[in-house]
Amino acid sequence: MRVVVPFGGDSPKTRLAPFFDADERRDFALAMLRDVLDAVESTGNDPVVLTDRPVDVHVPTILDDRPLTDAVNDQLGGDDPIAVVMADLALATPASLTRLFEMEGDVVAAPGLGGGTNALVVRTPEFVVDYHGASIADHREIADDIGVSFVEIDSMRLAVDIDEPSDLVEILLHGRGRTREWLDELGVTLDTTDGRAEVVCHRR
Ligand SMILES: Nc1nc2c(ncn2[C@@H]2O[C@H](COP(=O)(O)OP(=O)(O)OP(=O)(O)O)[C@@H](O)[C@H]2O)c(=O)[nH]1
Ligand SMILES: C[C@H](OP(=O)(O)O)C(=O)O
């Protein structure tokens, strides 16, 4: 199955500005993208990066500088099943993605914490996406309106997308690969002294 991985390469991960400057955020986003591509390839499927600017990866890329929703909808609508997996799913593993790809349903979704849609498998040409806001609710409604089944996977690894500094905790607790190494090299560690674990950046 073709797996589209959207990547906003222009100024990615702005919500991590309290921790990382613009160059670091780009490096970090790229590390996550490469880990996600490796995980997708390990499932035996073919990733393609849908990006708004040229990006140095070892898989095919589609250059499209329209907003995310328009760019993804341009990839949907064919007869073959297609998956959309976000590039910031730092905890995604081959096993969690295989489980998603194998779930039955016209549309299978991985809800993100806070309301996003972290990944989709679309097996019907009528379905369209509408990202941002609580997009999982919008996608449920779109499927309902066109009368196709909408199934949601229960997966911690696919529910965590890395948006806010507090999400970095999950990488330090459960992550590996380039993304984890990048945080280690920058001196980002866990503070577990009180209540919920927090991240600390020793460099700043
Ligand atoms: N092709 C493409 N991908 C995008 C675009 N905006 C976001 N993405 C990707 O979509 C996924 C979800 O992105 P978000 O977390 O909403 O946005 P972000 O730009 O990574 O982060 P923020 O700046 O903090 O909102 C990530 O894989 C992004 O790389 C876009 O305009 N075009
Ligand atoms: C693209 C967007 O991502 P978020 O901003 O929720 O990370 C969404 O999933 O609708």
Side-chain angles (χ1 to χ4, degrees), residues 168-182:
L168 300 173
V169 167
E170 308 306 331
I171 302 177
L172 293 175
L173 286 171
H174 310 289
R176 44 195 162 194
R178 294 177 189 80
T179 309
R180 173 63 195 266
E181 274 169 33
W182 192 92

Side-chain angles (χ1 to χ4, degrees), residues 79-122:
D79 288 331
D80 294 331
I82 187 166
V84 182
V85 175
M86 291 314 189
D88 57 358
L89 303 189
L91 303 190
T93 54
S96 57
L97 288 169
T98 297
R99 200 157 67 81
L100 172 82
F101 297 155
E102 289 181 351
M103 274 180 81
E104 287 181 18
D106 297 321
V107 180
V108 182
L113 297 175
T117 307
N118 286 351
L120 283 166
V121 178
V122 180

Side-chain angles (χ1 to χ4, degrees), residues 122-142:
V122 180
R123 300 193 176 94
T124 174
E126 295 92 43
F127 184 78
V128 291
V129 293
D130 182 5
Y131 285 111
H132 299 303
S135 64
I136 192 69
D138 297 331
H139 290 147
R140 206 180 285 138
E141 203 175 305
I142 291 166

